[in-house]
Amino acid sequence: RSAASLRGVNEFLVSRFGFVLPIFCGRWWCPLLPRAGVPLNTVVGGVLQLPKIENPTAEEVAKYHQLYMDELVAVFDTYKERFGYGDRKLNLL
């Protein structure tokens, strides 16, 4: 089953809850794990030091969201060669 077949589910989740849950399809006894023979690579980026803001403004939320997205791109760019994606650019929507 391809990810494209789950597009409707993802669109519903975004419209209803504002985010998408990652959906994995693994072995019959543990469907949350990836299939055997498919590499699962995990990397860790830098720690973001964020202040606790009781009632953040939209501008503050946008500022720290941008910091988070910038860190995601930096982590991807750091490790993409190692995992065979050297020619790719990470596009965040």
Side-chain angles (χ1 to χ4, degrees):
R1 188 169 212 174
S2 71
S5 65
L6 298 173
R7 185 171 185 87
V9 173
N10 284 338
E11 288 175 355
F12 169 76
L13 289 171
V14 169
S15 68
R16 178 80 174 161
F17 302 109
F19 62 91
V20 174
L21 296 173
I23 300 172
F24 302 97
C25 182
R27 296 178 180 262
W28 65 269
W29 50 269
C30 191
L32 296 179
L33 294 176
R35 295 184 318 267
V38 176
L40 178 62
N41 303 304
T42 304
V43 297
V44 178
V47 175
L48 294 178
Q49 297 295 328
L50 305 176
K52 181 175 182 173
I53 303 172
E54 290 296 328
N55 296 304
T57 64
E59 292 80 18
E60 290 170 323
V61 171
K63 173 186 173 182
Y64 292 112
H65 182 245
Q66 188 62 52
L67 286 174
Y68 174 72
M69 292 192 310
D70 292 345
E71 181 62 23
L72 284 177
V73 171
V75 169
F76 179 80
D77 288 342
T78 299
Y79 294 100
K80 66 183 180 180
E81 287 283 339
R82 181 182 299 180
F83 300 111
Y85 297 103
D87 60 338
R88 305 267 177 100
K89 180 181 181 225
L90 181 62
N91 294 313
L92 301 175
L93 304 175

